[in-house]
């Protein structure tokens, strides 16, 4: 049995294509892996605060020197990090907002990219500690950006995943969703076909 952690980040609940892709993924994955455990964290319903002084203090100060706010920030970070550590497969559902990921997803990453836990510094540079895990990224984009300089999602997320040791990363893009003609339907159909192949 594998554990799958899904991170939703769309600000929309209704009419969200990335959420539609997540539902498709869950259906396909459960059909192929009926015994797997799926955990879903919705960053729109339960947003994670952005990186602040309290979180930094929680990470860096000894327990006896932490304020109540710092201790609470550390507890939240530990919860999110423990979810990631327990997962075998990480699924990130990310609409493209202004050429990159939602700020809610960036805030989640800021909580879980942690020195000594998900990566460590070595004499030759940082080393990821989450080897053996797999990531799948579901994106929804109004235009067509894959392979273009306007795509700041895929390069950033590939680097973030590699930084913590996740090198097997599949990107599934639903693109052209706001373009005229058949782009919307074709973009979703292409993404669903890729989900079926990956799942």
């Amino acid at each position: 049995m594998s554990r799958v952690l899904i991170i939703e980040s769309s600000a929309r609940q209704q009419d969200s294509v990335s959420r539609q892709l997540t539902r498709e993924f869950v259906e396909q994955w459960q059909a192929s892996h009926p015994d797997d455990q799926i955990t879903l964290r919705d960053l729109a319903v339960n947003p994670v605060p952005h990186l602040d002084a309290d979180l930094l203090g929680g990470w860096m100060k000894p327990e006896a020197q932490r304020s109540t706010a710092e201790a609470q920030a550390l507890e939240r970070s530990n919860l999110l990090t423990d979810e990631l550590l327990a997962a075998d497969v990480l699924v990130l559902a990310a609409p493209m907002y202004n050429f990159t990921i939602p700020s809610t997803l960036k805030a989640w990453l800021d909580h879980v990219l942690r020195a000594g836990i998900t990566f460590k510094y070595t004499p030759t540079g940082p080393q990821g500690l989450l080897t053996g895990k797999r990531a799948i990224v579901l994106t929804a984009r109004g235009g067509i950006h894959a392979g273009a300089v306007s795509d700041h999602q895929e390069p950033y997320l590939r680097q973030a995943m590699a930084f913590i040791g996740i090198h097997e990363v599949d990107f599934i893009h639903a693109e052209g969703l706001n373009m005229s003609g058949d782009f919307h339907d074709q973009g979703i159909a292409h993404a669903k076909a890729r989900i079926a192949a990956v799942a």
Side-chain angles (χ1 to χ4, degrees):
M1 181 192 78
S2 294
R3 296 180 179 180
V4 181
L5 174 61
I6 299 176
I7 305 296
E8 290 275 24
S9 61
S10 174
R12 296 190 299 173
Q13 294 292 322
Q14 300 296 323
D15 303 319
S16 166
V17 173
S18 66
R19 292 180 185 277
Q20 181 181 342
L21 297 181
T22 299
R23 290 191 295 270
E24 181 74 15
F25 172 85
V26 170
E27 181 180 333
Q28 297 281 354
W29 191 271
Q30 288 181 326
S32 300
H33 312 273
D35 296 327
D36 282 6
Q37 176 185 326
I38 295 178
T39 300
L40 189 143
R41 176 166 290 278
D42 192 328
L43 299 176
V45 175
N46 294 299
V48 175
H50 291 287
L51 181 66
D52 60 12
D54 288 332
L55 182 55
L56 292 173
W59 285 341
M60 297 177 181
K61 291 181 181 179
E63 182 177 359
Q65 296 178 16
R66 293 179 199 136
S67 68
T68 299
E70 289 168 343
Q72 290 173 343
L74 177 61
E75 183 178 355
R76 180 179 58 244
S77 178
N78 287 341
L79 171 65
L80 298 173
T81 305
D82 287 345
E83 283 183 343
L84 177 57
L85 291 171
D88 302 293
V89 180
L90 172 65
V91 179
L92 302 176
M96 178 179 275
Y97 293 162
N98 299 316
F99 309 107
T100 188
I101 62 174
S103 63
T104 51
L105 181 54
K106 175 61 165 60
W108 179 83
L109 288 166
D110 285 340
H111 277 71
V112 301
L113 271 64
R114 290 179 57 182
I117 298 178
T118 57
F119 74 94
K120 66 180 180 180
Y121 290 109
T122 74
T124 57
Q127 176 184 331
L129 299 176
L130 303 189
T131 56
K133 298 183 187 293
R134 175 187 184 191
I136 299 165
V137 183
L138 310 173
T139 77
R141 301 162 166 198
I144 296 176
H145 301 277
V149 295
S150 59
D151 183 359
H152 300 285
Q153 276 187 322
E154 183 168 341
Y156 170 70
L157 289 174
R158 279 196 186 280
Q159 182 171 353
M161 293 297 99
F163 187 69
I164 56 176
I166 303 177
H167 297 282
E168 183 182 352
V169 185
D170 291 299
F171 279 81
I172 299 175
H173 302 300
E175 296 201 292
L177 302 178
N178 294 336
M179 297 171 64
S180 59
D182 297 329
F183 284 100
H184 180 276
D185 293 343
Q186 290 175 355
I188 293 177
H190 173 75
K192 287 185 175 182
R194 288 274 296 117
I195 288 171
V198 167

